[in-house]
């Protein structure tokens, strides 16, 4: 498997004979050039912007300074390929609309823009001098030592040569010894170049291509796809409810009426008794179907909203229920559906398990969140993990980024609270 970063390459025995030392040197060299150019550009923009700041024309220059990191970030992500082959994703968001102002608003309000500006300033002020110093110490100095015999040869009659202007070599054995030492130092310097390039690349990736950029994109896509699934699920529920209401229910009504008419026309006897029995069975099937339709997606919820649907569920509850909801207008369909079925399931649990004499449903829409509380005066002891349906309610609420909490000490009372964001 080929190494993907300079750090992986340095851990292998063939590093010195691989292209990675040259790639590291090229990365640092281009860093010097990029940093120097960025320093000149930022200084010029800042100077002109400071001079023209009182005038209206200074505003575009200040925006140019703020957005100066964008080309630098793009260039740095491209340069990363020299020493880091791991893809560097673009962390910028796609503007919500076309045009200059949506683009500016998006760029000036996202963290990636300011990270890239910080990278540009850091590169211009600190990093490129460090890159130049490392290249000088790791490449130029050893090469100067290696070139000592050539310097003696060109110095005139091979008498002496200055090595790095620090000491003088006067004999050929000394010159070749210094050249051999330079080769050893040059080989060791390849690792210095690799370490410096790897550290610089790691810092650059942290600023212009952080790992959380791709994660944020995946999370956004996951949240969006989850919302689409919830909407599609609710739309499918409404379609099934409509088909049952307009199709199967109407046919059962017609069948019941036909059986009733046939019963009236039939003379008393076994046939009339069978028709009466069939009409009763059709009536029970119609009642079951209506209850099923109501459980899938009640028409009152679609037509009149959550408050009316909760009031209807309270009227149908065997346990008396007081309802006090403060809702101003309609909520998102998915939120209304989830809240309604939570209330229905909670009231069903109250009727089946709590032994309560009375229950209440309170709450409302505040600060962008729907808060519902279902309270009863029963025996308590409810447990989310006991298979009472509360686990399914928690899953249904969590799909909408909501929370469900339960307080049910032995002896009661039991309080179920649900919070669902409505954005």
């Amino acid at each position: 498997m080929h190494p993907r970063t300079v750090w992986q390459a340095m851990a292998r025995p063939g590093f010195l004979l691989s292209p990675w030392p040259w790639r590291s040197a090229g990365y640092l060299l281009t860093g010097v050039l990029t940093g120097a150019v960025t320093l000149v550009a930022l200084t010029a923009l800042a100077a002109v912007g400071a001079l023209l700041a009182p005038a209206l024309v200074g505003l575009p220059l200040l925006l140019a300074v703020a957005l100066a990191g964008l080309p630098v970030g793009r260039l740095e992500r491209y340069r990363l390929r020299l020493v880091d082959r791991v893809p560097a994703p673009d962390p910028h968001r796609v503007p919500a609309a076309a045009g200059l102002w949506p683009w500016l608003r998006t760029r000036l309000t996202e963290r990636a823009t300011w990270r890239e500006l910080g990278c540009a300033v850091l590169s211009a002020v600190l990093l490129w001098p460090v890159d130049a110093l490392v290249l000088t110490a790791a490449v130029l100095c050893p090469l100067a030592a290696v070139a000592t015999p050539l310097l003696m040869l060109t110095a005139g009659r091979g008498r002496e040569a200055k090595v790095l202007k620090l000491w003088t070599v006067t004999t050929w054995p000394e010159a070749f010894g210094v050249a051999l030492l330079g080769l050893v130092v040059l080989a060791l310097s390849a690792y210095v170049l690799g370490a410096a390039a790897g550290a610089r690349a790691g810092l650059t990736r942290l600023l212009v291509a952080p790992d959380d950029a791709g994660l944020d994109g995946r999370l956004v896509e996951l949240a969006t796809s989850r919302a689409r699934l919830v909407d599609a699920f609710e739309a499918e529920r409404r379609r099934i409810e409509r088909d049952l209401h307009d199709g199967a229910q109407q046919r059962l009504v017609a069948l019941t009426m036909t059986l009733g008419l046939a019963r009236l026309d039939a003379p008393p006897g076994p046939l009339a008794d069978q028709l009466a029995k069939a009409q009763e069975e059709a009536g029970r099937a119609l009642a079951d179907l209506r209850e099923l339709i109501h459980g899938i997606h009640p028409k009152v919820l679609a037509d009149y909203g959550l408050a009316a649907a909760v009031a209807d569920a309270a009227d149908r509850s065997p346990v008396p229920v007081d309802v006090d909801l403060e809702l101003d207008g309609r909520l998102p369909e998915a939120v209304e559906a989830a809240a309604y079925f939570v209330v229905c399931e909670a009231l069903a649990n109250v009727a089946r398990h709590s032994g309560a004499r009375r229950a209440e449903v309170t709450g409302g829409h505040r600060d962008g969140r729907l808060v519902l509380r279902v309270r009863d005066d029963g025996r308590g002891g409810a447990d989310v993990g006991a298979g009472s349906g509360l686990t399914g309610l928690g899953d249904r609420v969590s799909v909408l980024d909501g929370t469900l909490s339960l307080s049910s000490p032995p002896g009661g009372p039991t309080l179920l609270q649900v919070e669902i964001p409505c954005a």
Side-chain angles (χ1 to χ4, degrees):
M1 181 177 178
H2 297 289
R4 305 189 68 186
T5 66
V6 67
W7 294 110
Q8 295 177 359
M10 289 173 61
R12 303 192 176 192
F15 172 72
L16 292 177
L17 300 178
S18 70
W20 286 99
W22 299 99
R23 298 169 71 97
S24 301
Y27 181 71
L28 295 177
L29 180 59
T30 54
V32 172
L33 299 177
T34 302
V37 172
T38 303
L39 176 61
V40 174
L42 289 177
T43 302
L45 286 174
V48 176
L51 290 175
L52 300 179
L56 183 61
V57 72
L59 182 60
L61 288 172
L62 293 177
L63 288 176
V65 173
L67 300 175
L70 297 180
V72 175
R74 183 180 294 274
L75 179 60
E76 289 296 335
R77 283 189 292 273
Y78 182 80
R79 287 200 319 116
L80 276 175
R81 302 176 186 178
L82 286 171
V83 292
D84 190 347
R85 293 176 177 173
V86 178
D90 190 341
H92 294 288
R93 301 194 306 267
V94 178
L100 178 61
W101 291 114
W103 183 85
L104 281 176
R105 185 166 53 251
T106 301
R107 292 295 171 261
L108 293 177
T109 55
E110 61 183 359
R111 290 181 297 174
T113 300
W114 302 104
R115 283 181 173 177
E116 290 178 349
L117 179 60
C119 178
V121 173
L122 189 63
S123 176
V125 175
L126 177 63
L127 294 182
W128 79 267
V130 174
D131 293 343
L133 180 62
V134 171
L135 283 173
T136 301
V139 177
L140 296 183
C141 292
L143 286 179
V146 171
T148 301
L150 182 61
L151 292 177
M152 285 194 63
L153 185 63
T154 59
R157 298 182 181 178
R159 292 183 179 179
E160 64 180 22
K162 290 283 188 178
V163 180
L164 298 176
K165 298 188 180 298
L166 296 178
W167 67 87
T168 303
V169 175
T170 58
T171 64
W172 286 106
E174 290 179 351
F176 284 108
V178 171
L180 182 60
L181 179 61
L183 287 175
V184 174
V185 174
L186 187 62
L188 296 177
S189 298
Y191 289 91
V192 176
L193 289 174
R200 168 72 185 268
L203 177 60
T204 300
R205 178 178 286 274
L206 182 64
L207 292 174
V208 303
D211 292 337
D212 59 350
L215 179 60
D216 288 344
R218 290 191 294 271
L219 288 177
V220 169
E221 177 59 27
L222 177 61
T224 304
S225 62
R226 185 175 65 178
R228 288 196 298 265
L229 286 175
V230 171
D231 292 340
F233 178 69
E234 293 301 330
E236 185 66 15
R237 290 171 66 97
R238 289 192 297 272
R239 186 192 65 79
I240 295 174
E241 182 270 337
R242 184 175 61 252
D243 291 344
L244 290 175
H245 183 274
D246 297 338
Q249 180 176 246
Q250 299 304 321
R251 291 184 180 182
L252 276 176
V253 170
L255 175 61
T256 304
M257 294 177 62
T258 302
L259 290 173
L261 293 174
R263 178 186 175 187
L264 292 175
D265 293 337
L271 178 60
D273 295 339
Q274 291 295 328
L275 289 174
K277 184 177 180 180
Q279 185 182 18
E280 292 176 1
E281 290 294 336
R284 283 193 288 268
L286 181 60
D288 292 342
L289 181 61
R290 285 173 176 167
E291 195 65 28
L292 176 62
I293 293 173
H294 200 278
I296 292 176
H297 196 90
K299 191 172 181 59
V300 64
L301 177 64
D303 293 343
Y304 300 103
L306 180 61
V310 170
D312 178 67
D315 291 338
R316 293 184 290 106
S317 174
V319 178
V321 180
D322 299 322
V323 178
D324 182 14
L325 294 180
E326 299 177 3
L327 299 176
D328 185 13
R330 298 296 299 269
L331 301 175
E333 294 180 356
V335 174
E336 286 188 340
Y340 171 76
F341 288 110
V342 166
V343 171
C344 289
E345 181 66 24
L347 293 180
N349 286 338
V350 170
R352 286 195 298 262
H353 307 296
S354 71
R357 294 188 300 272
R358 200 161 193 87
E360 63 178 9
V361 179
T362 60
H365 180 223
R366 304 182 188 90
D367 301 326
R369 299 181 71 84
L370 174 65
V371 181
L372 291 177
R373 289 177 289 273
V374 182
R375 181 186 178 92
D376 68 75
D377 58 359
R379 66 176 65 96
D383 185 7
V384 175
S388 59
L390 296 177
T391 303
L393 293 183
D395 294 340
R396 185 183 184 94
V397 170
S398 65
V399 169
L400 299 173
D401 289 331
T403 59
L404 182 146
S405 59
L406 177 69
S407 173
S408 183
T414 296
L415 175 63
L416 176 70
Q417 177 168 308
V418 173
E419 293 188 20
I420 305 176
C422 299

